[in-house]
Amino acid sequence: MNKDRIYKLLFASVYPLYIQKVEKKGRTKQEVDTVIFWLTGYDSESLQLQIDNKTDFETFFEEAPNFNPNATKITGVICGYRVENIEDPVIQKIRYLDKLIDELAKGKNMEKILR
C-alpha cells in the first residue's frame, strides 16, 4: 500500500464517487453526508469548505471537528483488509468511511450504519 499516494488523495475527487455509488443503489447524497457528518463531526458548511479547498484525506481527517469514538465499532473487510486491524490511523479512517459507504450502498438501515 503506497501511503503517500493514499494520504494525498483528494477528498473532493472521491466524494462524487461515493455519491454515485450509493445513488446507483437508490440511496441519496444526503445519506452520504449524514454518514460523513456522523464519522467526522463536519457539518454541511465545513464539509463543503473541505471540498472547495481540495483537501487531501490526511488533512480531511486531521481537521475533522469531532471524529466519532464509535468508529472503532466499524468492523469487516473492505478492499481485502479488515478495517479493525489496519494499523495506520489515516488509512484506517479512510477505510472506515469506505465501509460505511459500502453499507449504505448495500441497503443497510441507517440506524445500524451509525452504530
Side-chain angles (χ1 to χ4, degrees), residues 46-64:
S46 57
L47 179 63
Q48 189 59 53
L49 189 61
Q50 293 294 329
I51 294 167
D52 293 345
N53 289 341
K54 298 192 180 339
T55 303
D56 60 47
F57 268 105
E58 182 177 20
T59 305
F60 178 79
F61 285 114
E62 279 177 7
E63 294 180 355

